[in-house]
Amino acid sequence: MAEEKRYPTERMKCWEEAKSLRNKYYEDYYRAHERGGLCVTGSATMYYSILAGLGDDVYALTGEPYAATVAVFPEFSAKCMESVERSGVARDLCAYLRNYWGSIMLNKFVLPDGTILDGWPKPDFLFTGHACCTHAKWYQRAGELEGGAPYYALDLCCHPLVPSWNENQLNYIVQQLAEFIPWAEKVTGRKFNDEKFIEAIHNECESSRLFGEICMYQRNIPAPMDEKTMFSFYVFESLAPHRKEIVEFYRRLRDEVQDRVERGIASYPVERYRVVTGGAQPPWAFLQIWRYLQREYGVISVGSLYTFGLQTEWEEDEQGNFIPAKTPKEKGLRITNREEALRAYAEFKLKNWVLAGLFSLDFAPMIIKKMVQQWHVDAVILHFNRGCEGSTSGATEMRLALVEEDIPVLTYEGSMADYRDFDLPRTMARVDAFLEGVGLKKLTTKA
């Protein structure tokens, strides 16, 4: 197989800043009421920028990233899961949902550094996008557990990349967003500021574009980052992409990744086989798998449909290659009023890969095939994720579609957020067998 060529590598300069920003995000939410601000919680499918119209001191907690943080700490996660299951909730419901509800029931709040704080911060209202089959009911029930907090859900039942799309469906999204504004004004007693909303839209779109550029640099050989590292960076698009500090962070990260490519700095000293992972979330309590791939075999995961496409918007160029979607500013669109803002915002947000995959089983395989070509990938790893039915829908069909294209595929079973549903030794054995099957032997020297 490929020789063990070695590349220079170095620690990411933005690493510590990312850790600090992420902790600050959760602390700001936890202490928002102490500082006179508002708390809003909901799915990562929420339309973040619209919250900015209610003020700079509106802090959102997105449920999936929070629940993934819980999953990193199995002892606390187990308490969350068990408290939910004792209340009669089925174990086959979304694993993120169970970690989230469990935190409310335990009246505990966990920070990314593992600090567990007493008291679950009650939101002023809940605001979510309903794309996955659990989202709307997830936050409806959360509101009940939190003492009856007001609740608003967007019905995201359509997508422009699906053949049935038409203009009426876009109008439906825009209308729901427009109706949210007077509802939120009534609930909060605040006047909505259109200028702040428009500024936030430009920030959120720019965050998406910058992270898209970062993903494009992953095409380089050697890759400037590995996917495990990207997990710590992509998440800000699911936390607060409309905030100026996130745009500034992504600009610094983009510049750093560009510099690494220009200087030939690799994510790991040995890169002799490149993979992408499928559409499902990773098993957050077992990310050592990614390090095992690198350390033992020189296998680098350069990204995934999930990492690249959860919140980043994409479009195709004239050759049919994926490129970061143009922002309203790049398209020369001048947003001057609320109606223009809502339409431009909805049009941009709907250029999302992961959301499209919930409406068409053919879409995700098409994305992965193009990623294999554009990102110079040798094989695909698919997580059959028991913890999320939405992300795993069509996973076996995806495997067959890739195999038909002679793309090697490794599959393993588990859960993104319930460590009890993951068998680490069995998964490692599958990894070894697969890599030996494609002709890779373990590295003779480790970095």
Side-chain angles (χ1 to χ4, degrees):
M1 201 66 185
E3 61 177 305
E4 295 180 17
K5 180 179 178 179
R6 302 185 79 80
Y7 298 100
T9 188
E10 60 187 43
R11 184 180 174 86
M12 295 290 299
K13 296 182 178 67
C14 284
W15 186 258
E16 292 302 323
E17 182 182 1
K19 288 173 62 177
S20 176
L21 267 178
R22 193 167 174 218
N23 247 31
K24 179 180 181 299
Y25 167 85
Y26 286 103
E27 288 176 351
D28 282 346
Y29 181 81
Y30 184 78
R31 306 202 181 279
H33 287 158
E34 297 175 12
R35 301 165 181 170
L38 297 180
C39 291
V40 180
T41 185
S43 170
T45 56
M46 74 166 67
Y47 278 52
Y48 306 87
S49 293
I50 204 166
L51 298 177
L54 297 171
D56 296 329
D57 59 347
V58 179
Y59 299 97
L61 176 72
T62 44
E64 296 91 339
Y66 173 79
T69 300
V70 173
V72 172
F73 307 104
E75 184 177 346
F76 180 64
S77 177
K79 293 178 181 177
C80 291
M81 297 287 187
E82 289 165 2
S83 65
V84 170
E85 289 159 11
R86 282 196 300 269
S87 74
V89 173
R91 183 168 168 174
D92 60 356
L93 273 182
C94 170
Y96 278 163
L97 173 154
R98 288 180 284 133
N99 270 339
Y100 188 93
W101 285 359
S103 291
I104 299 173
M105 292 177 177
L106 294 172
N107 200 28
K108 301 287 186 182
F109 189 82
V110 68
L111 299 179
D113 63 7
T115 302
I116 298 175
L117 302 174
D118 290 326
W120 176 266
K122 180 181 176 181
D124 294 281
F125 65 89
L126 298 98
F127 176 52
T128 187
H130 180 55
C132 170
C133 58
T134 64
H135 281 157
K137 288 299 180 182
W138 173 341
Y139 295 99
Q140 181 183 36
R141 178 57 179 156
E144 293 168 356
L145 291 171
E146 292 161 329
Y151 157 77
Y152 193 100
L154 299 170
D155 182 13
L156 304 177
C157 64
C158 47
H159 199 281
L161 297 175
V162 176
S164 61
W165 172 260
N166 59 62
E167 189 74 8
N168 289 333
Q169 294 175 344
L170 174 61
N171 293 337
Y172 177 55
I173 302 294
V174 173
Q175 179 184 347
Q176 291 179 82
L177 291 170
E179 292 173 353
F180 167 77
I181 292 174
W183 179 90
E185 287 180 322
K186 181 178 180 180
V187 165
T188 64
R190 295 189 176 193
K191 182 69 175 174
F192 191 84
N193 186 309
D194 290 332
E195 290 183 2
K196 286 185 178 293
F197 174 40
I198 293 170
E199 179 186 3
I201 290 173
H202 289 309
N203 285 340
E204 183 173 347
C205 294
E206 183 68 3
S207 290
S208 171
R209 184 188 68 82
L210 287 167
F211 193 76
E213 289 185 18
I214 292 165
C215 294
M216 295 294 281
Y217 281 117
Q218 289 295 98
R219 296 175 300 173
N220 190 67
I221 300 175
M225 287 192 294
D226 61 280
E227 190 183 13
K228 185 178 183 296
T229 299
M230 293 185 78
F231 290 148
S232 296
F233 296 141
Y234 90 100
V235 71
F236 295 107
E237 284 199 284
S238 299
L239 301 180
H242 62 296
R243 290 191 173 273
K244 187 176 180 180
E245 63 265 29
I246 301 303
V247 178
E248 293 171 347
F249 169 76
Y250 274 141
R251 187 168 288 115
R252 287 189 289 274
L253 178 61
R254 188 274 315 273
D255 292 346
E256 180 180 354
V257 172
Q258 179 182 3
D259 176 66
R260 289 171 73 93
V261 168
E262 291 171 352
R263 294 190 294 121
I265 303 299
S267 64
Y268 193 74
V270 180
E271 180 185 307
R272 56 178 184 158
Y273 200 77
R274 291 162 67 94
V275 301
V276 291
T277 60
Q281 307 90 328
W284 293 111
F286 300 95
L287 296 185
Q288 63 262 46
I289 295 171
W290 275 254
R291 291 290 178 253
Y292 181 80
L293 290 168
Q294 294 174 354
R295 184 183 67 252
E296 298 297 327
Y297 291 97
V299 173
I300 306 299
S301 177
V302 299
S304 66
L305 186 155
Y306 174 76
T307 315
F308 286 10
L310 181 63
Q311 294 292 342
T312 305
E313 281 69 38
W314 296 87
E315 58 193 16
E316 293 180 322
D317 63 14
E318 294 178 355
Q319 290 72 44
N321 294 316
F322 287 123
I323 57 173
K326 288 185 178 180
T327 67
K329 280 187 176 180
E330 288 180 304
K331 292 165 66 175
L333 185 62
R334 186 166 175 265
I335 303 174
T336 61
N337 57 54
R338 183 182 299 182
E339 183 178 349
E340 292 173 352
L342 291 171
R343 182 164 293 273
Y345 188 32
E347 285 181 337
F348 186 82
K349 287 278 284 183
L350 287 168
K351 294 180 179 180
N352 175 276
W353 283 353
V354 173
L355 189 60
L358 295 173
F359 297 100
S360 172
L361 295 183
D362 298 326
F363 188 77
M366 181 272 287
I367 294 285
I368 295 293
K369 289 176 187 178
K370 286 197 173 188
M371 288 184 69
V372 168
Q373 295 172 351
Q374 277 189 245
W375 277 266
H376 315 296
V377 167
D378 299 296
V380 175
I381 299 177
L382 298 179
H383 178 200
F384 288 0
N385 180 8
R386 295 193 189 102
C388 177
E389 294 179 0
S391 67
T392 313
S393 296
T396 52
E397 289 84 355
M398 183 191 298
R399 176 191 173 278
L400 289 174
L402 296 172
V403 169
E404 288 172 357
E405 298 288 331
D406 294 323
I407 300 170
V409 182
L410 164 64
T411 64
Y412 67 95
E413 296 182 27
S415 171
M416 80 288 198
D418 190 341
Y419 78 96
R420 300 169 300 177
D421 285 335
F422 195 86
D423 188 333
L424 182 61
R426 182 177 180 224
T427 301
M428 291 305 203
R430 290 183 67 84
V431 168
D432 289 336
F434 173 79
L435 294 176
E436 290 170 9
V438 298
L440 276 182
K441 296 181 184 287
K442 290 191 174 183
L443 297 174
T444 55
T445 58
K446 308 295 190 293

